[in-house]
Amino acid sequence: MKNLSLASFGFALAAATSLVPLPAAAEQLRVGVAALATSVDPHFHRAGYNFDLRENISDALVYTNGVNGNVEPRLAKSWEIQGDTKWVITLEPKAKFDDGNALGADDVIYSICRVRNVPNSPGLFSSFIATIADIKDAGDGKIEIDTKKPDPNLLRSLSNIGIVQNSTGRTLAYDAKTCGNDNWLETAGFNSGKVSPGIGHYRVKKFAPDVEIELERNEQYYGTPAAYDSVLVKSLPDNSARIAALLGGSVDVINAVPINSIDSIQSSGKYHLSSIPSTLLIFLLPDQGQEKTPKVSGTDGKNPFLDPRVRKALNLAINREQIAETVMGGMAQPASQIIVDGVFGHNPGLQPYRYDPQEAKRLLADAGYPNGFSMTLNAPSDRYVNGAQVAQAVTAMLSQIGLNVTLETFPFSIYFTKASAYEFSLYLAGAAADTGEGLSQMINLAGTRNPDRGWGGANRGRYSSKVTDKALEDAQSTLDDTRREELILAAVAEVYEDDGYVPLYHEFGVWGVRNGVHYDPNANLTNIFYTARPE
């Protein structure tokens, strides 16, 4: 890992943002990924591996650039704010669906309505549309969006909503529930190929869950075409298998490069690294939503994590520097708050959590647990770079303060369903700044969990604070950047003081790439295939 310095990250940033003419069409790009999308449905599950596929096959109104944070046109050709709460968006007239029908205002309204109405979704996209009061067809290829109050990040939020074709035959009247419709496109239809996921650089040719996805270039795409004719995305959750596939030549690109393989890639002469600092926070979240918690014993039936002293003890028990340097091989930045340094909303006034196991023991004793208690730490076995090893290290550290900890892991395909059902008492997960700034990340992680409101989508431990919620709510409607940042800083500080989260680190994004292929890194760890090109 010693060759991966911040200087190398700066080089990656410069390379990614430079404008290079696209070459003529090329053959197939083969990619091996640690986690494959679970659905073609662009609205099904708010999770990183599904963001990957959506970005390549179903354009949103705009794109939030994962390198420089800028908002760029996609299905919205242009936009303007009229007053504080009205947005007038001009749709791209060249954009057409697979059947040749042009994009219309009815498609946008239908798509945004559907976000709240996806059956069996393990993680809705509702928070991205929470501030919308109304959407109307404004005529002349325009839509008008009225927000409940000023929303400076409306377009950033909508950059996560893929636009699908309206299936109702009428323009829906927007509301915050069903928009008067009871017959929505089924997720199974998207997965089978019966229903198109929208207008994108690529179309889905084959979707084999947990195995592979094959994409083919959309020759009718309205914008800059993808360079590769097709993309084959293989599921390779095992680190050894993924690196072997790259070094053996069966794939051209892999994500989530195993730490112990950095040197072999760099010294091969045939491959290189594409890397960037990431907004992805890896964290522990204790259950703070119920009086009894399912995977704790030795507490007389009480949930110990409702006591802030116990939560503080967890934060003091973790040696973040050791995890970042040893377990993550230097490919992580120790974290004491949700938002990474350099992203709007990061609070520079907060001190890093110190590593103090003796103080952690004292706090446990003060809370009534001088001999600790027994508990289970849950983690996904195949979702994050070195995630299982990190969970093992955390288990050992918590044991050092007198807790009897058992580590239990599940494949990510079922892990988050269990977490959403509140089956865990302390669990490991991750979440990035999906909109390129910190407000949405805070609402997703620290906002009181409320699916109807679209808050707390990743807050499966149900941390809740009226102070935090008020600051985030006010920030949502503050157009002045300085004041909005002050509100986000206050919310970040409140979570810190509450010890509501146990932040571990912000992960670096590192891809292994075959020489002869240009592949852009992305701060949100999204795999974007349409910018890849032969060198």
Side-chain angles (χ1 to χ4, degrees):
M1 181 54 212
K2 298 187 184 299
N3 292 330
L4 268 183
S5 64
L6 289 179
S8 69
F9 287 126
F11 177 80
L13 282 167
T17 55
S18 61
L19 297 178
V20 181
L22 287 174
E27 61 287 349
Q28 186 177 75
L29 177 71
R30 303 162 302 165
V31 184
V33 295
L36 200 65
T38 58
S39 178
V40 177
D41 184 344
H43 309 146
F44 177 65
H45 184 194
R46 178 176 173 166
Y49 33 86
N50 287 331
F51 278 121
D52 280 1
L53 184 58
R54 199 283 304 162
E55 179 57 42
N56 289 282
I57 65 173
S58 181
D59 277 0
L61 289 172
V62 297
Y63 170 66
T64 301
N65 192 302
V67 174
N68 56 34
N70 293 338
V71 176
E72 302 173 359
R74 282 294 190 269
L75 296 178
K77 183 179 182 180
S78 62
W79 52 86
E80 62 176 333
I81 305 177
Q82 297 180 355
D84 290 339
T85 60
K86 180 180 293 186
W87 295 69
V88 178
I89 297 173
T90 301
L91 300 179
E92 172 54 62
K94 298 178 183 178
K96 294 183 179 181
F97 291 99
D98 289 350
D99 61 6
N101 286 329
L103 171 73
D106 64 308
D107 302 307
V108 177
I109 297 170
Y110 175 87
S111 298
I112 295 177
C113 284
R114 185 177 181 267
V115 164
R116 289 193 178 94
N117 294 280
V118 181
N120 304 311
S121 168
L124 290 170
F125 288 66
S126 304
S127 66
F128 294 128
I129 62 171
T131 65
I132 294 178
D134 194 17
I135 312 174
K136 295 189 289 286
D137 183 346
D140 297 324
K142 298 179 179 181
I143 59 171
E144 181 181 299
I145 300 180
D146 293 303
T147 56
K148 300 171 186 175
K149 49 192 173 183
D151 181 2
N153 289 320
L154 176 66
L155 289 182
R156 290 181 178 275
S157 295
L158 293 179
S159 71
N160 294 287
I161 308 299
I163 303 303
V164 301
Q165 192 166 11
N166 178 16
S167 62
T168 67
R170 59 191 174 91
T171 300
L172 299 181
Y174 183 81
D175 61 38
K177 294 183 179 179
T178 66
C179 301
N181 184 53
D182 59 3
N183 185 21
W184 299 97
L185 289 170
E186 296 284 343
T187 295
F190 290 99
N191 293 343
S192 69
K194 181 180 179 181
V195 178
S196 169
I199 304 169
H201 289 79
Y202 286 101
R203 293 176 173 142
V204 180
K205 183 177 181 181
K206 177 184 178 182
F207 176 68
D210 300 320
V211 180
E212 65 184 24
I213 301 172
E214 187 173 357
L215 308 177
E216 58 183 1
R217 185 173 56 228
N218 180 1
E219 302 295 351
Q220 282 73 50
Y221 187 68
Y222 62 93
T224 302
Y228 285 95
D229 295 330
S230 64
V231 180
L232 181 64
V233 190
K234 299 181 180 181
S235 175
L236 296 171
D238 180 76
N239 285 346
S240 298
R242 199 162 60 258
I243 191 65
L246 178 69
L247 298 181
S250 62
V251 298
D252 305 305
V253 179
I254 62 170
N255 75 334
V257 170
I259 292 163
N260 58 6
S261 301
I262 294 289
D263 288 342
S264 60
I265 291 175
Q266 290 183 317
S267 63
S268 68
K270 298 179 179 179
Y271 308 94
H272 61 277
L273 298 174
S274 181
S275 51
I276 195 170
S278 161
T279 66
L280 178 67
L281 173 72
I282 303 298
F283 59 86
L284 303 179
L285 187 54
D287 177 9
Q288 298 160 70
Q290 51 196 341
E291 292 297 327
K292 293 184 178 181
T293 189
K295 292 183 179 289
V296 166
S297 60
T299 61
D300 295 327
K302 296 179 181 179
N303 179 355
F305 302 123
L306 296 178
D307 190 321
R309 292 170 294 185
V310 175
R311 301 197 301 269
K312 172 68 77 176
L314 297 181
N315 268 315
L316 296 179
I318 306 299
N319 188 333
R320 292 166 173 81
E321 294 286 346
Q322 184 180 75
I323 290 175
E325 291 301 320
T326 303
V327 185
M328 290 298 294
M331 291 167 57
Q333 179 177 319
S336 293
Q337 58 181 289
I338 289 174
I339 304 172
V340 70
D341 187 14
V343 170
F344 187 85
H346 173 82
N347 191 326
L350 301 181
Q351 294 298 312
Y353 286 117
R354 68 185 190 278
Y355 172 54
D356 193 340
Q358 293 305 313
E359 177 64 8
K361 290 180 181 179
R362 187 190 70 77
L363 287 169
L364 286 179
D366 284 352
Y369 307 108
N371 299 314
F373 50 84
S374 297
M375 56 169 288
T376 298
L377 169 64
N378 286 101
S381 58
D382 54 357
R383 174 63 187 97
Y384 307 108
V385 174
N386 274 28
Q389 294 91 325
V390 169
Q392 290 169 357
V394 168
T395 297
M397 291 173 185
L398 295 181
S399 298
Q400 292 298 311
I401 65 170
L403 299 177
N404 181 16
V405 184
T406 300
L407 175 61
E408 182 181 41
T409 64
F410 295 95
F412 81 91
S413 57
I414 62 173
Y415 179 78
F416 291 102
T417 299
K418 287 180 171 292
S420 295
Y422 310 123
E423 295 182 18
F424 302 150
S425 293
L426 180 68
Y427 73 95
L428 182 146
D434 299 330
T435 61
E437 47 72 55
L439 178 57
S440 68
Q441 190 175 24
M442 286 293 294
I443 289 173
N444 185 35
L445 283 171
T448 296
R449 190 170 173 85
N450 184 335
D452 292 335
R453 189 184 187 191
W455 278 44
N459 182 4
R460 297 175 177 93
R462 289 173 289 180
Y463 165 77
S464 181
S465 163
K466 291 181 180 179
V467 174
T468 301
D469 284 354
K470 181 64 166 60
L472 294 177
E473 187 172 23
D474 289 348
Q476 271 193 307
S477 60
T478 301
L479 295 175
D480 179 78
D481 286 347
T482 300
R483 177 55 183 156
R484 185 168 74 258
E485 185 174 32
E486 290 174 353
L487 290 164
I488 301 173
L489 296 183
V492 171
E494 181 69 11
V495 176
Y496 177 92
E497 294 297 331
D498 283 345
D499 289 284
Y501 270 73
V502 183
L504 298 178
Y505 54 87
H506 288 97
E507 186 180 303
F508 289 164
V510 184
W511 287 259
V513 185
R514 177 178 61 81
N515 289 349
V517 174
H518 172 88
Y519 193 85
D520 284 342
N522 186 282
N524 289 333
L525 303 184
T526 307
N527 289 293
I528 299 180
F529 308 130
Y530 58 77
T531 59
R533 63 180 185 271
E535 288 187 324

